[in-house]
Amino acid sequence: MLKECIFCQIIAGDTPCRKVYEDDEVLVFHDIQPAAPVHALIIPKTHIASMNDVGREQEGIIAAIHRAAQITAIELGIAETGYRLVNNCGPDAGQVVHHLHYHLLGGKKLGMTQ
Ligand code: AMP
Ligand code: ZN
């Protein structure tokens, strides 16, 4: 838990979120500024700053994130229509929250962006 981290605050229950799914390792909630009809964020419950900080010890968390993405896609009705799982790492990708997170996007035909 990093006190000044907004996602750690959400995990701690100090900042509200619209929760979709939770298990021992991850929390999933709706993005506050959705970029698609379905836009959820999947985050590990432990503070990891970015993809650059994911090592062998975090393999279980990455698997949990993928499992949560599948469950969330079913829950939010986009498992069959399709979805995209996106991680932004670092300034060129526009990472603004420095707590590892994956965007789950769907609910419309998604264009390729760069
Ligand atoms: P990124 O650019 O990959 O760091 O994306 C951070 C995402 O977090 C953005 O899509 C924001 O809209 C979202 N976000 C920031 N604060 C909150 C919050 N309190 N609740 C939900 N989503 C948030
Ligand atoms: Zn954090």
Side-chain angles (χ1 to χ4, degrees), residues 2 5 7-8 47-48 98-99:
L2 195 62
C5 170
F7 287 176
C8 283
H47 183 86
I48 300 168
H98 297 282
H99 179 126

Side-chain angles (χ1 to χ4, degrees), residues 73 77-84 105-108 110:
I78 56 169
E80 301 306 325
T81 48
Y83 53 90
R84 184 172 294 157
L105 298 154
K108 69 170 186 182
L110 300 164

Side-chain angles (χ1 to χ4, degrees), residues 13 23 25 30 35 49-50 57 78-79 84 89-92 98 104 106 111:
D23 62 28
E25 289 168 300
H30 291 281
S50 84
E57 323 79 69
I78 56 169
R84 184 172 294 157
C89 181
D92 279 359
H98 297 282
L104 182 73

